[in-house]
Amino acid sequence: MAKIMVIEDEAAIREEVIEWLQFEGHSVSGADSGRPAIEAILQDPPDIVLCDIWMPEMDGYAVLIELRSNPMLSHIPFVFLSASASHEAVRYGMDLGADDYLTKPFTHAELLRAIESRLQKHTSQNDQIRERLEVLTEALEEERTKRLLKTRLVAMFSHDFRTPLSSIMSSVELIRHYESRMTPERKAMHLDRIDGSVHQLLQMLDDMLLVAQMESGSFQYHPEPLELAEWVGEILEEFRTMYGMTRTLTLKADVGCCVQADRRLFRQILVNLVANAIKYSNEDSEVIVWVKHTGDQIELIVEDHGIGIPAEDLESVFEPFHRAGNAEEFKGTGLGLTIVKEAVERHAGTIRIESEVGVGSRFIVSLPASGK
Ligand code: ADP
């Protein structure tokens, strides 16, 4: 059902057209001249206007000009009804922006066809506009999120850089002023602290550069064959020495598990998952890394017996800055898993989580296996 305005000064024709259209189920209103018609249209814009040309006071052309010059009404389809079928009159009306022209007398069928085709065209134009608007809105939203992400990244990194920097400064000051009075153990502890903080800063710098490169699309992806068992073993060893850990980090790897990987990006996957497994579990609990062959896939699994992730957060932990409700007392930025997911996807892989609060978590990365 469409809302139709019929503007026609000859009452008999106006009533007849209104009746035909009402029988077809449309909601129709009528006006006998231009001015009251425009007022009614302003109050309640119709879906289409049918308008006589020759009317006293304000003719159909003036009505059309007024509608087309009002941004709120300019889109309404406009059909002239006229006794004059002269080429010039039709041409003039079309030049002013009319959509169609019906010459009186017209039949019931001609009128309905004209209305139908105008409304259909209008709907498809509206659909196109709506589609274009949706695309634009999406692009705007994406741009806004990116800008927000960048602002938050800068704020976060400038904040997080201070902690290891202060730690380095304080250890250096202590050694400079009190070295002669320090026990060798105390001095070693400060040197370890400096070393650990420098590594932390380097890792943060690397993360930041990587996120920035992925954001700007300038990241250069260089995959090469990587034998996982050996490589995971080396990284776990780095964890043990870097943090001087008492933690049990166990590797359970099938031999011959090879994937195509960009070493720098792939490292982010394992380093972030293992760092989280350590952070979110007790010091005396074991972290296990599995490397498995499953058909034509390789699975890299990082398992801990830590705090677990609440079911309602499982979907969102990969979103930037999202931290689960039970992670408040642990330091973190909420970015690690975003980098992990992006890195996994760049390697044509998938990642999923199995987790239970108070029991532990398993992060399962599946990647296409490759020959050496
Ligand atoms: P964060 O810096 O907060 O650790 P991540 O992006 O690495 O950021 O992880 C996002 C959130 O996912 C964490 O804040 C935490 O709530 C949850 N999470 C990640 N790994 C684990 C894990 N192994 N055990 C429990 N919760 C985890």
Side-chain angles (χ1 to χ4, degrees):
M1 183 194 81
K3 229 190 297 173
I4 303 174
M5 163 63 80
V6 181
I7 313 169
E8 168 64 70
D9 63 333
E10 277 182 56
I13 302 182
R14 185 174 68 243
E15 295 311 324
E16 193 180 354
V17 169
I18 290 178
E19 201 173 36
W20 284 351
L21 296 175
Q22 280 173 338
F23 272 130
E24 293 298 321
H26 297 297
S27 155
V28 196
S29 45
D32 60 2
S33 65
R35 188 48 58 200
I38 291 202
E39 270 153 34
I41 291 171
L42 277 167
Q43 294 288 322
D44 183 15
D47 300 316
I48 185 166
V49 173
L50 309 179
C51 184
D52 185 18
I53 294 186
W54 310 118
M55 295 182 291
E57 288 167 35
M58 186 179 192
D59 65 17
Y61 296 131
V63 174
L64 177 60
I65 291 169
E66 193 145 338
L67 290 189
R68 289 294 181 254
S69 58
N70 182 331
M72 303 296 288
L73 308 172
S74 60
H75 64 283
I76 300 175
F78 194 100
V79 177
F80 273 127
L81 312 174
S82 177
S84 162
S86 82
H87 183 70
E88 288 72 32
V90 175
R91 184 64 196 267
Y92 184 57
M94 293 313 221
D95 284 349
L96 288 179
D99 295 279
D100 207 349
Y101 201 99
L102 277 175
T103 313
K104 296 181 219 173
F106 42 79
T107 65
H108 175 237
E110 280 167 342
L111 176 67
L112 293 182
R113 233 187 349 260
I115 290 177
E116 185 121 325
S117 94
R118 282 306 113 198
L119 287 177
Q120 256 175 18
K121 190 160 173 215
H122 188 59
T123 313
S124 82
Q125 276 169 349
N126 271 353
D127 286 349
Q128 279 175 10
I129 292 173
R130 204 171 307 119
E131 266 169 39
R132 253 182 269 155
L133 252 179
E134 273 168 22
V135 171
L136 276 176
T137 317
E138 237 172 69
L140 260 178
E141 186 54 32
E142 207 173 292
E143 212 28 63
R144 207 182 69 84
T145 318
K146 271 194 189 160
R147 217 157 6 104
L148 194 71
L149 190 75
K150 274 189 198 128
T151 317
R152 291 180 72 173
L153 272 177
V154 171
M156 187 195 78
F157 280 110
S158 24
H159 171 265
D160 287 11
F161 263 54
R162 287 176 195 280
T163 316
L165 278 176
S166 325
S167 166
I168 293 172
M169 278 164 69
S170 95
S171 288
V172 167
E173 284 298 295
L174 283 167
I175 295 174
R176 196 199 309 275
H177 294 293
Y178 304 107
E179 191 184 3
S180 55
R181 284 193 257 154
M182 267 183 192
T183 60
E185 292 76 31
R186 191 104 193 112
K187 194 167 148 193
M189 187 279 282
H190 280 296
L191 288 174
D192 281 349
R193 199 159 84 168
I194 293 173
D195 199 33
S197 301
V198 168
H199 272 100
Q200 200 181 340
L201 283 170
L202 286 175
Q203 184 64 51
M204 282 166 67
L205 203 60
D206 209 33
D207 283 1
M208 195 168 87
L209 286 177
L210 195 76
V211 173
Q213 285 175 350
M214 290 200 291
E215 278 267 303
S216 67
S218 67
F219 178 76
Q220 302 277 326
Y221 181 68
H222 292 301
E224 53 184 310
L226 188 65
E227 166 32 78
L228 279 190
E230 194 184 321
W231 179 80
V232 173
E234 284 167 19
I235 294 200
L236 291 187
E237 203 43 49
E238 275 179 35
F239 265 96
R240 291 188 192 103
T241 45
M242 186 160 72
Y243 295 100
M245 282 197 324
T246 48
R247 296 292 297 257
T248 317
L249 297 179
T250 309
L251 172 61
K252 298 191 177 179
D254 292 349
V255 280
C257 287
C258 196
V259 294
Q260 281 291 327
D262 176 294
R263 283 175 179 260
R264 183 170 162 234
L265 189 57
F266 201 76
R267 187 186 155 81
Q268 292 289 332
I269 302 175
L270 189 65
V271 165
N272 276 295
L273 292 181
V274 172
N276 276 353
I278 293 170
K279 177 164 69 172
Y280 294 109
S281 61
N282 277 335
E283 281 203 3
D284 56 0
S285 76
E286 185 182 16
V287 170
I288 308 174
V289 180
W290 307 77
V291 179
K292 289 185 189 174
H293 239 304
T294 53
D296 55 359
Q297 297 282 303
I298 303 291
E299 278 188 350
L300 174 68
I301 303 171
V302 178
E303 178 181 307
D304 66 59
H305 305 285
I307 61 169
I309 302 175
E312 66 271 20
D313 289 303
L314 277 178
E315 289 278 312
S316 336
V317 285
F318 293 109
E319 286 167 16
F321 308 107
H322 186 95
R323 308 201 67 219
N326 61 344
E328 276 159 14
E329 63 186 86
F330 300 86
K331 275 194 175 174
T333 59
L335 266 185
L337 288 184
T338 310
I339 297 175
V340 169
K341 183 150 195 280
E342 178 95 28
V344 168
E345 283 168 1
R346 291 276 174 124
H347 288 91
T350 57
I351 179 161
R352 64 179 206 279
I353 310 174
E354 291 170 1
S355 187
E356 202 177 321
V357 173
V359 177
S361 311
R362 278 160 65 87
F363 286 79
I364 303 153
V365 178
S366 292
L367 300 151
S370 94
K372 259 209 155 178

